[in-house]
Amino acid sequence: MFKNHLKIAWRSILKDKLFTSIKIGGFAVGIAACLLITFFIKDELSYDKHYEKKDQIYRVVFQGMFNGEVMKSVHFPLPFAEALQNDFPEITKAGKVNASELFGAGKRSLKVSGKSRNNLEDGFLLADQNALEVLEISLGEGDLESAMTQPKSMVMSHEKAKIYFPNGNAVGKTVVLDDNPDETYTVTGVINPSLHKSHLNFDFLLRIEDQNMNWTHQNYYTYIQVAPNTNVADLEKKMFSIMEDYIIPAQIERSRSADFIEVLKTIEYKLQPIADVHLKSDIRMNDGLRHGDIRFVWLFGAIAIFILLLACINFINLSTAKSANRAKEVGLRKTVGAFKRNLVTQFLTESVLFSIASFALGILLTWLLLPTFNEIAGKSISMPWGQVWFVTILPLAALVVGLVAGLYPAFYLSAFRPVNVLKGSLQVGAKSGKLRSGLVIFQFTTSVVLIISTLVIYKQMDFILQKELGYEKEQVLVINGAESLGKKVESFKNQLSELSFVSQVSQSGYLPVDGYERNGNTFKNEGEGAETRGVPGQIWRVDYSYLNTLGIKLKQGRDFSEEYASDASEAIIINEKMAGQLGLENPIGKFINNNYATWKIVGVIEDFHFKSLKEDIQPLSLVIGRNYGAIMIKLKGNSINEAVSSVASVWNKNMPDQNFSYTFLDQDFATMHQDVKRMGVIFNSFAFFAIFVACLGLFALSAFMVEQRKKEISIRMVLGAPFKSIYKLLTLSYMKLIIISIVIATPIGAYIMSKWLEDFAYKIDIDWKVFALSGIIALGIAILTISYQSISAAFIQPLKSLQSE
């Protein structure tokens, strides 16, 4: 019997190639989209899941209220980790990590001792011995228990060890950083190669050499390992004693205001599970690490479900719409003795066969699209051919989806009464469409929500990339690794200034994009005492040409000038935000301090963005100081390639043993928003998949509607009905459904996108044009989808159609 079911199913598949192509093709596209989303979600959820004691490892976070806003941070004083381990027996180990460029993390040039060639490397972090043990760093070479116990120790990845020490035995060898003999490190360990993912992305770990035990300086992430069965909530409450015993006394000693001390008393310590760091870290923590977003995981998961639902809805719609063509078959088979269960089994067999074919094609599409998807998503996902979940779940899914999708059509078709079918009194197909109408509304409601979301995401990304930032990012060449120039730096800058392509040259490691140095301080007006709460802000060390190179505009006062000898030690330029928070209406000539030095304000600059546009502009100050992190070159003219070649020649002349490494500031700015842009592209791609699947279903339904109404159309044409009348007859009913979908989808899309935009401090307004355009696009897609069949129907030959009847 089962063999017979397969034969009939196969004949049914081959009988109507358009029906089969749309049914299998729509399913396959939906399955491919679902698999790609599944791979993405699985990759995002895999971060920090490999630790043997992952349920006992936490990152410490503090949160409190400051000026009425929630404040969160993961930066703690150097002695914080040691105090945790000593004061709380529940904490078995506490280690610290520093990812700040100011302390030597980020990008640095490196060479093997005894060799002249320098390479600029990214991925430096600083850590202590306990951090290696808490984070379960696995060493292929070296001793984990002593890897970070000696000064100037370095642990490097297996991949980098192969590059610098191709003959192996890296442990005991030395390397020089920044071409500075004082920065010579001994390799004490090589990390085992691993496919595991971590929120800490590094190739080099340097031992923390900082000896500043001041409790008021906060620069270190703290990771702890707790004893088994520790009550984490109780431990979090007990940890407040660190604030009472160490931090508040240190702040009082610095004569901090009573208001500030009250703020400290509102702070709570929270323990963030290590597995939550990648996806569940608040942007207000400002940890400088690249993160995913759990909301995107849920969103993409929802889209995957919707796409699969749309594909299943297509299957149900097409199967019930096709019912007229199978009605006589059902009637005859029941007349000759077929039971309902036989018919149900028959139709479910066909459904499963369709599902298996769709899954096979869907897997093939996934394999073909995966390289493109990896490029878009910034991933390195491979097809999990040999993984148990893939080879077991997919066949099971093909069976389950086939059964579920075919359940309603099977019972619907098998319920036909033979007497009605054979008398020709059964009303099926396009005319019996309440369920199908509801399903079409669901499909296009989903599609319109996705269209609204796509338009809003595009407009927001365009707004970010085109927004006036307060500085000029175009044609600014940034040379990295400039600290290796050492004493040659002034000569190098002078040589660059002589080039015809160069307008300005500035040197500073403080650039208004991510990946460069930051230095936070607290500022007060001169004369303000301990009772005054200071203003937290940045202080950047720059040179005399910094403002001109970046085109930053002065609102009041003047720029730094070498004509004023005191500028090198006393002058400060602040932004409007700092002036406002300090309460200075006429700041020029006023003095401010940060508990370490006092400066005279000589200028006020326009606020400019130096963080992601998800964050508001913060108070900022600039002072003259040496910082060799990067060199910025403002280029002029249109011959950019020639200009880069000229700058490279000057670099190679001065630094023949170090590669010329450069970026452009506008590229760095785009990279700063790359994660959001990437998520937008992925979202738009899957939105296209969903809309495509919905359109396939609408196309097939319109085809079967035309097939069912051929006799009616022919009679109308014989009686003189014009093309316009036939076209309207076949499209109007669907247009009503699309309009209903637009009405339902508009408030849903508005709500979802409003929540998404809440993440951005600077964002677009969602106006009526977005919804109008979304509706027009949806109607346009629907009309184009239906029109082919409607126009074809208007040109059928009535004689042939009526003759066949």
Side-chain angles (χ1 to χ4, degrees):
M1 182 63 74
F2 181 69
K3 185 178 179 182
N4 185 55
H5 288 330
L6 284 177
K7 279 185 179 180
I8 296 173
W10 183 248
R11 288 171 186 167
S12 176
I13 288 172
L14 295 179
K15 184 177 179 181
D16 194 332
K17 292 182 174 58
L18 176 64
F19 172 85
T20 299
S21 299
I22 292 175
K23 207 168 181 182
I24 292 178
F27 243 141
V29 169
I31 290 161
C34 288
L35 282 176
L36 289 173
I37 293 173
T38 300
F39 293 165
F40 175 84
I41 292 175
K42 192 171 183 296
D43 185 81
E44 286 290 289
L45 293 175
S46 68
Y47 279 77
D48 297 306
K49 297 292 175 64
H50 60 282
Y51 301 107
E52 184 180 339
K53 298 180 179 179
K54 63 178 182 292
D55 295 332
Q56 297 170 240
I57 303 174
Y58 296 86
R59 183 173 72 164
V60 185
V61 179
F62 80 73
Q63 62 183 42
M65 298 297 296
F66 184 77
N67 289 338
E69 295 182 1
V70 176
M71 171 182 64
K72 293 186 178 184
S73 180
V74 292
H75 298 96
F76 296 93
L78 184 70
F80 181 77
E82 185 179 355
L84 286 177
Q85 188 168 331
N86 291 338
D87 292 4
F88 302 102
E90 300 97 325
I91 299 175
T92 57
K93 279 191 179 69
K96 46 191 174 287
V97 174
N98 192 322
S100 170
E101 291 82 1
L102 191 65
F103 286 79
K107 298 175 183 176
R108 302 186 71 171
S109 61
L110 179 150
K111 68 178 181 181
V112 176
S113 296
K115 296 187 177 181
S116 58
R117 191 68 181 173
N118 267 311
N119 292 302
L120 187 66
E121 293 284 3
D122 203 352
F124 281 88
L125 286 179
L126 290 85
D128 65 1
Q129 177 63 36
N130 276 357
L132 265 66
E133 296 176 19
V134 171
L135 297 174
E136 298 179 6
I137 302 296
S138 173
L139 298 185
E141 294 182 41
D143 180 16
L144 178 62
E145 295 183 0
S146 61
M148 287 291 182
T149 56
Q150 298 302 313
K152 299 292 183 180
S153 296
M154 170 192 284
V155 172
M156 63 171 56
S157 68
H158 174 78
E159 292 75 18
K160 293 301 179 182
K162 282 176 63 178
I163 293 172
Y164 289 103
F165 306 101
N167 297 324
N169 300 318
V171 171
K173 306 288 176 54
T174 58
V175 297
V176 179
L177 303 184
D178 305 329
D179 209 19
N180 182 355
D182 292 336
E183 289 291 289
T184 299
Y185 283 79
T186 302
V187 178
T188 55
V190 175
I191 301 172
N192 276 320
S194 173
L195 297 177
H196 300 306
K197 294 181 177 293
S198 169
H199 69 282
L200 290 172
N201 188 20
F202 60 89
D203 282 309
F204 304 93
L205 286 176
L206 306 180
R207 180 180 182 270
I208 294 172
E209 305 294 341
D210 187 6
Q211 300 297 319
N212 186 349
M213 302 300 285
N214 193 318
W215 278 91
T216 63
H217 295 176
Q218 303 187 63
N219 300 298
Y220 295 91
Y221 312 145
T222 299
Y223 295 87
I224 66 170
Q225 180 182 307
V226 300
N229 303 317
T230 296
N231 188 317
V232 172
D234 287 347
L235 178 58
E236 288 173 338
K237 293 175 183 177
K238 290 166 64 176
M239 284 170 59
F240 185 74
S241 64
I242 295 287
M243 180 66 65
E244 295 174 319
D245 296 344
Y246 301 101
I247 296 177
I248 289 177
Q251 296 291 357
I252 291 174
E253 188 177 337
R254 286 185 61 188
S255 302
R256 299 305 293 264
S257 69
D259 284 349
F260 183 75
I261 300 303
E262 289 304 312
V263 169
L264 293 181
K265 290 179 181 178
T266 70
I267 284 176
E268 298 177 316
Y269 291 110
K270 297 294 181 182
L271 298 181
Q272 182 182 29
I274 189 77
D276 288 351
V277 174
H278 176 65
L279 288 175
K280 298 180 181 178
S281 290
D282 195 312
I283 191 171
R284 289 170 294 189
M285 293 178 184
N286 197 27
D287 62 9
L289 303 174
R290 292 185 63 180
H291 293 288
D293 190 330
I294 190 63
R295 291 169 300 178
F296 276 114
V297 171
W298 287 113
L299 176 62
F300 289 146
I303 290 175
I305 293 170
F306 275 123
I307 290 175
L308 193 58
L309 279 175
L310 294 181
C312 290
I313 287 168
N314 278 351
F315 186 94
I316 294 170
N317 269 346
L318 297 180
S319 297
T320 54
K322 187 72 171 173
S323 58
N325 295 1
R326 306 291 298 274
K328 288 184 178 179
E329 174 195 340
V330 172
L332 285 170
R333 291 181 67 183
K334 280 193 170 184
T335 301
V336 297
F339 294 106
K340 184 176 180 178
R341 65 175 180 272
N342 300 126
L343 295 170
V344 169
T345 305
Q346 172 64 54
F347 293 125
L348 286 178
T349 301
E350 290 182 20
S351 176
V352 171
L353 197 59
F354 271 112
S355 180
I356 291 171
S358 298
F359 266 81
L361 182 58
I363 291 170
L364 177 62
L365 283 174
T366 303
W367 178 67
L368 293 173
L369 292 172
L370 191 56
T372 303
F373 179 75
N374 277 331
E375 187 176 344
I376 293 171
K379 298 287 187 182
S380 54
I381 301 168
S382 57
M383 289 293 290
W385 298 114
Q387 294 187 21
V388 175
W389 73 268
F390 188 77
V391 297
T392 56
I393 291 179
L394 281 189
L396 183 63
L399 179 63
V400 171
V401 170
L403 291 173
V404 171
L407 208 56
Y408 174 77
F411 281 95
Y412 175 75
L413 291 170
S414 63
F416 290 163
R417 298 183 65 183
V419 63
N420 291 335
V421 172
L422 297 177
K423 284 170 61 179
S425 60
L426 187 67
Q427 297 297 314
V428 291
K431 293 183 180 179
S432 59
K434 283 188 178 180
L435 174 64
R436 290 197 299 279
S437 295
L439 294 177
V440 168
I441 289 172
F442 175 80
Q443 283 185 311
F444 268 85
T445 297
T446 303
S447 298
V448 174
V449 169
L450 293 174
I451 291 170
I452 291 170
S453 303
T454 298
L455 291 176
V456 171
I457 290 171
Y458 172 80
K459 286 170 67 71
Q460 177 64 16
M461 289 312 305
D462 185 65
F463 172 78
I464 287 175
L465 296 176
Q466 303 301 325
K467 188 182 186 301
E468 288 292 330
L469 302 174
Y471 65 91
E472 297 172 5
K473 65 181 186 295
E474 288 74 22
Q475 293 194 202
V476 177
L477 180 71
V478 180
I479 301 177
N480 295 303
E483 61 278 341
S484 299
L485 285 163
K487 296 179 180 179
K488 299 179 184 178
V489 64
E490 292 302 326
S491 172
F492 179 71
K493 288 168 62 177
N494 292 334
Q495 292 173 54
L496 290 176
S497 299
E498 294 172 0
L499 297 175
S500 59
F501 301 102
V502 174
S503 171
Q504 294 282 341
V505 180
S506 176
Q507 183 174 25
S508 176
Y510 295 92
L511 273 64
V513 289
D514 284 349
Y516 293 90
E517 294 184 29
R518 296 290 182 264
N519 187 15
N521 279 194
T522 301
F523 295 84
K524 293 182 181 180
N525 294 305
E526 186 182 38
E528 292 179 339
E531 72 283 353
T532 303
R533 182 185 298 178
V535 172
Q538 289 283 314
I539 180 168
W540 292 5
R541 299 192 178 279
V542 301
D543 63 7
Y544 292 96
S545 55
Y546 188 86
L547 296 187
N548 287 333
T549 302
L550 290 179
I552 298 171
K553 297 176 182 177
L554 278 163
K555 294 288 289 186
Q556 299 180 49
R558 63 175 177 83
D559 193 358
F560 297 120
S561 173
E562 293 180 277
E563 295 179 4
Y564 297 90
S566 60
D567 278 8
S569 58
E570 297 178 5
I572 192 169
I573 294 175
I574 62 175
N575 68 353
E576 294 173 287
K577 180 61 71 76
M578 179 172 281
Q581 292 199 8
L582 286 170
L584 299 174
E585 294 184 7
N586 299 297
I588 304 303
K590 300 293 196 308
F591 288 85
I592 61 174
N593 67 74
N594 67 344
N595 290 321
Y596 300 102
T598 299
W599 292 279
K600 180 181 179 181
I601 299 173
V602 299
V604 177
I605 54 176
E606 284 187 358
D607 288 337
F608 65 89
H609 294 275
F610 54 89
K611 291 185 175 184
S612 163
L613 291 188
K614 286 187 173 184
E615 302 177 66
D616 200 358
I617 293 174
Q618 300 298 315
L620 171 74
S621 63
L622 308 175
V623 297
I624 295 295
R626 286 188 173 275
N627 187 285
Y628 298 131
I631 291 178
M632 293 175 289
I633 306 164
K634 181 67 175 178
L635 303 176
K636 56 185 178 181
N638 297 319
S639 302
I640 300 300
N641 291 335
E642 192 174 347
V644 172
S645 297
S646 298
V647 172
S649 297
V650 176
W651 175 269
N652 292 331
K653 178 182 175 183
N654 286 271
M655 299 295 294
D657 294 323
Q658 182 165 327
N659 293 332
F660 176 59
S661 175
Y662 73 94
T663 60
F664 281 94
L665 194 59
D666 55 351
Q667 294 174 347
D668 289 336
F669 176 79
T671 300
M672 188 162 63
H673 297 90
Q674 188 175 18
D675 288 345
V676 176
K677 187 176 180 180
R678 181 179 288 136
M679 290 300 108
V681 173
I682 296 172
F683 179 88
N684 294 344
S685 301
F686 289 131
F688 170 78
F689 273 124
I691 294 167
F692 176 74
V693 170
C695 288
L696 275 179
L698 193 59
F699 178 84
L701 282 179
S702 63
F704 286 114
M705 178 181 66
V706 170
E707 184 180 335
Q708 294 299 309
R709 303 182 74 173
K710 270 186 181 180
K711 182 177 179 180
E712 177 190 348
I713 294 167
S714 299
I715 293 172
R716 286 176 179 271
M717 292 177 70
V718 168
L719 295 176
F723 167 80
K724 181 179 178 181
S725 173
I726 301 298
Y727 183 83
K728 183 179 178 182
L729 172 72
L730 297 173
T731 57
L732 189 59
S733 59
Y734 282 110
M735 289 304 98
K736 290 178 182 177
L737 299 180
I738 305 306
I739 290 170
I740 292 171
S741 299
I742 293 169
V743 172
I744 296 171
T746 297
I748 297 173
Y751 174 77
I752 292 172
M753 284 296 97
S754 296
K755 297 297 289 183
W756 181 72
L757 287 172
E758 286 179 0
D759 278 348
F760 295 87
Y762 302 89
K763 55 197 172 191
I764 62 169
D765 293 321
I766 307 177
D767 56 20
W768 64 270
K769 295 177 184 177
V770 171
F771 306 112
L773 182 58
S774 300
I776 291 169
I777 291 172
L779 281 170
I781 290 171
I783 290 171
L784 286 173
T785 303
I786 297 168
S787 289
Y788 174 79
Q789 296 297 335
S790 300
I791 293 170
S792 298
F795 288 101
I796 63 174
Q797 297 182 23
L799 183 61
K800 284 188 176 181
S801 178
L802 293 174
Q803 202 172 34
S804 67
E805 294 290 336

Coordinates of all heavy atoms in Angstrom, one line a residue, residues 109 131 191 238 264 321 373 393 606 623 655 710 750 796 805:
S109 N 53.3 47.5 17.6 CA 54.2 46.9 16.7 C 55.1 45.9 17.5 O 55.3 46.1 18.7 CB 55.1 48.0 16.0 OG 55.8 48.7 17.0
A131 N 43.7 35.8 36.2 CA 42.8 35.9 35.0 C 43.0 34.7 34.1 O 42.0 34.1 33.6 CB 43.0 37.2 34.3
I191 N 49.1 29.6 23.6 CA 47.7 29.1 23.8 C 47.4 28.0 22.8 O 47.7 28.1 21.6 CB 46.7 30.2 23.7 CG1 47.0 31.3 24.7 CG2 45.3 29.7 23.8 CD1 46.2 32.6 24.6
K238 N 26.7 41.1 49.8 CA 27.9 41.2 50.7 C 29.0 42.0 50.1 O 29.8 42.6 50.8 CB 28.4 39.8 51.0 CG 27.4 39.0 51.9 CD 27.7 37.5 52.0 CE 29.1 37.2 52.6 NZ 29.3 35.8 52.7
L264 N 27.9 57.0 45.5 CA 28.6 55.8 45.7 C 27.8 54.8 46.6 O 27.8 53.6 46.4 CB 29.9 56.0 46.4 CG 31.0 56.8 45.5 CD1 32.3 56.9 46.3 CD2 31.2 56.1 44.2
A321 N -6.3 25.0 -2.7 CA -6.7 25.6 -3.9 C -6.7 24.6 -5.0 O -7.5 24.7 -6.0 CB -5.8 26.7 -4.3
F373 N 26.7 34.7 2.9 CA 26.2 35.0 4.2 C 27.3 35.3 5.2 O 27.2 36.2 6.0 CB 25.3 33.9 4.7 CG 24.7 34.1 6.1 CD1 23.7 35.0 6.3 CD2 25.2 33.4 7.2 CE1 23.1 35.2 7.5 CE2 24.7 33.6 8.5 CZ 23.7 34.5 8.6
I393 N 18.4 15.9 13.2 CA 17.3 16.8 13.3 C 16.6 17.1 11.9 O 15.4 17.2 11.8 CB 17.7 18.1 14.0 CG1 18.0 17.8 15.5 CG2 16.6 19.2 13.9 CD1 18.4 18.9 16.3
E606 N 32.9 73.2 19.2 CA 31.6 72.6 19.0 C 31.6 71.2 19.4 O 32.7 70.5 19.3 CB 31.2 72.7 17.5 CG 30.8 74.0 17.0 CD 30.2 74.0 15.6 OE1 30.3 72.9 15.0 OE2 29.8 75.0 15.1
V623 N 44.2 68.9 25.8 CA 45.4 69.6 26.3 C 46.6 69.2 25.4 O 46.6 68.2 24.7 CB 45.7 69.2 27.7 CG1 44.6 69.7 28.6 CG2 46.0 67.7 27.9
M655 N 61.1 54.3 8.2 CA 60.9 53.1 8.9 C 61.0 51.9 8.0 O 60.0 51.2 7.7 CB 59.5 53.1 9.6 CG 59.4 54.2 10.6 SD 60.5 54.1 12.0 CE 59.9 52.6 12.8
K710 N -11.9 29.8 -15.4 CA -11.8 29.9 -16.9 C -13.1 30.0 -17.6 O -13.3 30.8 -18.5 CB -11.0 28.7 -17.4 CG -9.5 29.0 -17.4 CD -8.8 27.8 -18.1 CE -7.2 28.1 -18.1 NZ -6.5 27.0 -18.8
A750 N 5.4 50.1 13.4 CA 5.7 51.3 14.1 C 6.2 51.0 15.5 O 7.2 51.6 16.0 CB 4.5 52.2 14.2
I796 N -7.2 34.6 -23.0 CA -7.5 33.2 -23.3 C -8.5 33.2 -24.5 O -9.2 34.2 -24.7 CB -8.0 32.5 -22.1 CG1 -9.4 33.1 -21.6 CG2 -7.0 32.4 -21.0 CD1 -10.0 32.3 -20.5
E805 N -15.1 22.5 -21.7 CA -16.2 22.2 -20.7 C -17.3 21.4 -21.2 O -18.1 20.8 -20.5 CB -16.7 23.6 -20.2 CG -15.7 24.4 -19.5 CD -15.4 23.9 -18.1 OE1 -16.2 23.1 -17.5 OE2 -14.3 24.2 -17.6

